[in-house]
Amino acid sequence: MISNHLLFKLASGEVFGPDQPIALKLLGSERSFQALEGVAMELEDSLYPLLKEVSIGINPYEVFQDAEWALLIGAKPRGPGMERADLLDINGKIFAEQGKALNAVASRNVKVMVVGNPCNTNALICLKNAPDIPAKNFHALTRLDENRAKCQLALKAGVFYDQVSNVTIWGNHSTTQVPDFLNARINGSPVKEVIRDTKWLQEDFTEKVQKRGGVLIKKWGRSSAASTSVSIVDGIRSLVTPTPEGDWFSSGVYTNGNPYGIAEDIVFSMPCRSKGDGDYELAMDVIFDNHLLERITKTEAELLAEKRCVAHLIGEGVAFCDLPEDTMLPGEM
């Protein structure tokens, strides 16, 4: 469902711009191959001027050939009675194989966005299995969480969402994620000067963002496909268009060399800025208080535990799973 929304945005020029031709290579499985054929037919029938090619396949070593962008959306959902560690292992094997295929045949500067959950650790597995591609090129999607945070701050302040800036999601795409109101701004002013209800910011705001997906499932009967596809578009556009002066965006990226003291060798959502060339730098003008640091430490510990669970998939020996608690997002169920 996410792909069905996203593909037509890609083909229309909404993502990479009105002058950029695009070739779509769709990777599926034997089970989904007929659906792939159907969506390819719809794309062809839509006569998008920028869409120069649609091809489909089930072998990543063929589909990923010379790819410049890889959007890794598919992952196994969590089934009844399945432990989180089991899901990490099952999906980890998928992303290990896809990382190897990207390493073998994709462009040497391919940009990779991992959407399939648990996306932070899946992105880590993927990049560890693609040693010839810069680790900095791998992203885990946390933009939907950022968009949700902006929405809640705008609603509370009674402003339109475009007045909200400098919103960061720190850490894991799970219920330990940290929506940062300390550094966020509304109409250029610190959020805490506009919304003076500290209890709401520390409790209600954070919980609403963390659990928004679960509330949506209860209302809608399924997870958020349309808004996820919008957030993928936003995430790509943030890398191919210059970041507005003074602002930043959230993305799960590799932590080596980060200036915040976050543990290295994990994929952690942090504030990024881009010149519009597909690359990014981490924002330096960030402040921390004890409340923010405590929450960052908790989500960091979870990602380190997830990493230990998949050690066998990233070349670090025997896996050992000691996840502190089950914080899987409802959409992963």
Side-chain angles (χ1 to χ4, degrees):
M1 291 300 296
I2 295 169
S3 298
N4 287 345
H5 286 284
L6 177 63
L7 287 168
F8 295 87
K9 295 177 182 291
L10 290 164
S12 71
E14 181 180 338
V15 183
F16 293 104
D19 301 316
Q20 177 60 61
I22 188 167
L24 292 175
K25 300 182 175 185
L26 314 184
L27 176 68
S29 64
E30 290 183 8
R31 184 174 61 85
S32 67
F33 194 75
Q34 281 196 319
L36 273 185
E37 291 178 314
V39 75
M41 290 167 66
E42 281 208 89
L43 284 162
E44 291 167 348
D45 293 346
S46 297
L47 302 181
Y48 288 111
L50 294 173
L51 183 57
K52 302 304 180 186
E53 177 190 347
V54 182
S55 60
I56 61 176
I58 60 174
N59 182 347
Y61 287 85
E62 296 174 358
V63 176
F64 291 169
Q65 185 71 46
D66 300 324
E68 295 176 299
W69 284 81
L71 311 179
L72 307 183
I73 295 170
K76 182 179 177 62
R78 188 180 187 183
M82 185 184 291
E83 295 294 329
R84 189 160 182 225
D86 297 332
L87 190 68
L88 281 163
D89 182 58
I90 292 167
N91 279 327
K93 290 173 181 173
I94 295 171
F95 287 89
E97 182 63 23
Q98 293 186 349
K100 291 172 184 174
L102 287 166
N103 196 63
V105 300
S107 161
R108 296 301 81 187
N109 197 36
V110 63
K111 303 296 190 291
V112 182
M113 186 168 290
V114 176
V115 181
N117 285 315
C119 64
N120 292 63
T121 297
N122 286 342
L124 179 69
I125 293 167
C126 196
L127 73 86
K128 288 287 188 176
N129 283 275
D132 298 330
I133 296 169
K136 196 177 182 183
N137 289 17
F138 290 79
H139 296 259
L141 184 75
T142 57
R143 187 54 171 268
L144 180 56
D145 304 311
E146 178 189 323
N147 289 353
R148 288 170 170 168
K150 285 182 174 178
C151 172
Q152 294 304 312
L153 291 172
L155 289 170
K156 183 69 172 178
V159 301
F160 198 56
Y161 70 89
D162 64 355
Q163 301 302 305
V164 183
S165 65
N166 300 86
V167 172
T168 307
I169 301 296
W170 295 93
N172 200 5
H173 179 63
S174 77
T175 55
T176 67
Q177 65 177 259
V178 186
D180 178 1
F181 58 83
L182 180 65
N183 288 282
R185 306 182 82 82
I186 296 175
N187 285 321
S189 299
V191 160
K192 292 180 72 174
E193 292 180 9
V194 179
I195 301 172
R196 297 186 177 274
D197 187 343
T198 302
K199 183 176 184 295
W200 182 87
L201 287 169
Q202 291 186 348
E203 297 176 12
D204 295 3
F205 164 66
T206 299
E207 186 171 326
K208 280 186 177 183
V209 176
Q210 290 174 336
K211 297 184 176 179
R212 181 79 163 180
V215 173
L216 190 144
I217 288 170
K218 287 180 181 178
K219 301 281 188 185
W220 192 217
R222 57 177 174 79
S223 58
S224 46
S227 55
T228 299
S229 72
V230 169
S231 71
I232 296 169
V233 172
D234 290 341
I236 298 170
R237 285 184 57 80
S238 288
L239 290 165
V240 299
T241 55
T243 306
E245 184 70 28
D247 202 359
W248 57 61
F249 60 92
S250 303
S251 191
V253 295
Y254 195 49
T255 52
N256 280 17
N258 80 85
Y260 314 120
I262 292 163
E264 301 215 332
D265 204 34
I266 55 178
V267 171
F268 198 95
S269 184
M270 298 184 283
C272 304
R273 290 186 171 118
S274 178
K275 296 177 182 177
D277 56 359
D279 201 357
Y280 67 91
E281 299 295 335
L282 295 175
M284 302 296 291
D285 47 333
V286 179
I287 60 173
F288 298 92
D289 63 9
N290 288 338
H291 176 80
L292 181 57
L293 287 171
E294 285 173 10
R295 297 200 170 200
I296 286 176
T297 299
K298 181 177 180 180
T299 195
E300 176 190 63
E302 180 177 63
L303 281 167
L304 289 169
E306 287 188 12
K307 180 184 173 186
R308 291 191 288 274
C309 278
V310 299
H312 59 302
L313 298 174
I314 58 175
E316 296 192 5
V318 178
F320 170 69
C321 238
D322 58 341
L323 291 166
E325 57 183 304
D326 193 336
T327 59
M328 191 74 73
L329 287 173
E332 297 169 14
M333 301 296 189

